[in-house]
Amino acid sequence: MSPTGQSADVPWTTEFCQMKKKEPGIKNIYMELGSTFGQLVTTNPTACAHLLGQVVDAFGADHVLWGTDSIWYGTPQWQIEAFRRFEIPPALVEKHGYAPLTRPVKEQIFGLNAARVFGVDVNAKRNEIPKDYLSRMKMAYLEERRRAEPPLVRLGHGLTVPKRADTTRGSTQESGGRGDRAGRRRPG
């Protein structure tokens, strides 16, 4: 039992971790967190702490991969934020000998481990955009947008409306003013 009165056993995970510890030479198994983390962190944080502590202990922080199963649950941002903030309680670290979830351990789990497995050089610059190219693209976009939008006309009380071309006279009219259907001003 943990200090909270809850068992340290996490179904399937505890058994799998015990089997791995009996065969420490096996190095080709990686644990992926997936929806198990998402479900436990929200419904049973103590069980989540045991899960993470046991997996890191049995397999090593270098053999745990981040996953979210977000294809089933939508955006994973909440799981990312939860894992960033999650800590194994000191009482569980002390009683069960779990390693704390330090920043370097979380960085490994979040992506460095997968990068190693798939041969991705995380320090490489891939298809780097010239430093001034993005600025030029942004300025061109803003200039094109400025030219495409009609100028604004002040109507008073802080209200503005776009000017529109009056196709019958070749001039511009305030689109918010009084006028007939052709956009011509009516007296008055």
Side-chain angles (χ1 to χ4, degrees):
M1 297 295 269
S2 73
T4 61
Q6 183 178 2
S7 171
D9 288 346
V10 179
W12 300 96
T13 302
T14 300
E15 296 168 46
F16 196 54
C17 289
Q18 289 169 348
M19 288 190 291
K20 169 61 173 92
K21 288 175 95 170
K22 289 178 186 174
E23 297 290 338
I26 297 175
K27 298 289 184 194
N28 64 344
I29 299 174
Y30 289 79
M31 297 297 284
E32 183 262 344
L33 296 179
S35 58
T36 303
F37 171 77
Q39 291 173 7
L40 287 179
V41 77
T42 56
T43 61
N44 193 336
T46 302
C48 187
H50 284 297
L51 173 104
L52 291 169
Q54 290 173 22
V55 165
V56 169
D57 180 51
F59 292 86
D62 63 334
H63 277 67
V64 180
L65 302 175
W66 177 250
T68 62
D69 293 334
S70 62
I71 191 170
W72 308 116
Y73 303 110
T75 179
Q77 191 60 41
W78 67 273
Q79 291 180 56
I80 293 167
E81 292 301 323
F83 189 67
R84 280 186 182 148
R85 293 183 175 106
F86 194 81
E87 295 179 1
I88 298 175
L92 294 182
V93 168
E94 186 178 324
K95 179 173 181 171
H96 298 281
Y98 298 147
L101 292 176
T102 62
R103 183 179 178 140
V105 167
K106 289 179 182 181
E107 287 172 353
Q108 282 184 291
I109 294 170
F110 264 136
L112 294 177
N113 293 338
R116 187 186 71 253
V117 169
F118 294 109
V120 175
D121 180 358
V122 296
N123 296 314
K125 294 181 179 179
R126 301 192 187 276
N127 302 324
E128 184 178 19
I129 297 174
K131 292 181 182 7
D132 62 341
Y133 180 69
L134 190 56
S135 296
R136 286 196 317 263
M137 285 176 41
K138 181 179 177 183
M139 294 305 293
Y141 167 76
L142 292 173
E143 178 62 24
E144 182 179 318
R145 201 169 127 204
R146 185 190 62 75
R147 277 189 260 144
E149 292 177 356
L152 298 176
V153 175
R154 292 216 176 268
L155 297 177
H157 304 293
L159 298 175
T160 57
V161 294
K163 280 187 179 180
R164 61 184 165 91
D166 181 348
T167 56
T168 60
R169 295 190 202 157
S171 64
T172 58
Q173 288 283 57
E174 299 170 6
S175 62
R178 293 184 314 211
D180 62 17
R181 290 184 183 247
R184 292 183 289 262
R185 294 288 284 173
R186 289 186 300 194

